[in-house]
Amino acid sequence: CDLNMPGNDGFQLMQQLANRGYAGGVVLVSGMDERVLRSAALMARFHRLKILATLTKPIQADALRAAVRQLV
């Protein structure tokens, strides 16, 4: 979930996922500063979403792989 997307942003997407009772994992991605990512992670936890990772752009492939492995 990129925090800055056309149409719905990542914050809106997380709200929609929470409203639907989404039980999967979420990886938050942003080119914004760390404070924005921390705020997004707090919001996600408030909505009981499972945060696998918060990654800054450009994304490191190893960090993304490590986050996705948590789903197995």
Side-chain angles (χ1 to χ4, degrees):
C1 169
D2 194 332
L3 297 181
N4 187 14
M5 300 182 294
N8 286 348
D9 64 22
F11 290 93
Q12 292 167 317
L13 176 61
M14 286 189 290
Q15 178 69 48
Q16 293 169 356
L17 291 173
N19 290 345
R20 293 178 181 172
Y22 178 72
V26 176
V27 176
L28 299 175
V29 178
S30 181
M32 298 177 190
D33 65 45
E34 284 290 324
R35 291 181 303 170
V36 175
L37 270 172
R38 281 194 303 269
S39 295
L42 283 172
M43 178 192 161
R45 287 184 187 101
F46 173 79
H47 288 296
R48 301 177 196 264
L49 294 173
K50 180 181 178 183
I51 299 300
L52 301 176
T54 56
L55 305 175
T56 56
K57 290 180 181 179
I59 299 170
Q60 300 298 315
D62 289 342
L64 182 57
R65 270 193 290 275
V68 173
R69 278 189 199 119
Q70 295 179 57
L71 295 172
V72 179

